[in-house]
Amino acid sequence: MITISETAAEHLKDMLEQQETPNMFLRLGVTPGGCTGFSYAMGFDDNETDDDVYMTIQDMKVVVEKDSLRFLDGLEIDFEESGMTGGFTIHNPNAIATCGCGSSFRTATDAGKPNEEPC
């Protein structure tokens, strides 16, 4: 199960409304890389495949590739404002290590393919 806070959902819905392509949805995933081993992928898409699982979270269509589900089970997405800036934050209970910027992670059973470059 993936959780998106009300604040994060409001920001995502606003961003979705600004897209000029009909039927856009939020796509979440995991890709090999990042300084810790796996990187989060979060963006908008309008193309589903047979490898996707879709769900409705906060009245939004969210699509996740089946292979990424095991890394994202229990994921919590929030939006935090700090002074004049703000951004999405991710809490992943599957991660045993994360990079300093929070955009990559490693699990107890999967190390991924870390980049040698710092984040």
Side-chain angles (χ1 to χ4, degrees):
M1 180 168 174
I2 296 171
T3 304
I4 300 174
S5 72
E6 286 185 39
T7 305
E10 287 174 18
H11 284 278
L12 288 165
K13 288 175 185 176
D14 287 343
M15 294 167 69
L16 274 168
E17 286 177 9
Q18 294 174 17
Q19 303 299 312
E20 295 185 14
T21 305
N23 302 317
M24 294 288 279
F25 52 82
L26 177 65
R27 177 176 289 281
L28 301 174
V30 172
T31 59
C35 52
T36 313
F38 293 106
S39 291
Y40 296 108
M42 183 167 102
F44 300 124
D45 199 351
D46 64 345
N47 186 28
E48 286 184 72
T49 71
D50 291 337
D51 294 328
D52 290 334
V53 174
Y54 83 92
M55 52 198 85
T56 302
I57 304 171
Q58 295 279 8
D59 297 323
M60 258 185 321
K61 182 177 182 178
V62 178
V63 175
V64 180
E65 186 177 304
K66 290 175 187 173
D67 290 343
S68 293
L69 277 175
R70 66 187 174 116
F71 299 110
L72 302 178
D73 187 36
L75 189 80
E76 299 171 5
I77 299 173
D78 196 7
F79 189 90
E80 295 181 5
E81 299 205 27
S82 175
M84 294 176 43
T85 63
F88 292 99
T89 60
I90 296 175
H91 171 70
N92 187 345
N94 303 298
I96 62 163
T98 59
C99 67
C101 61
S103 64
S104 71
F105 68 99
R106 170 174 74 235
T107 68
T109 57
D110 295 287
K113 298 178 183 175
N115 293 342
E116 303 212 2
E117 303 171 14
C119 53

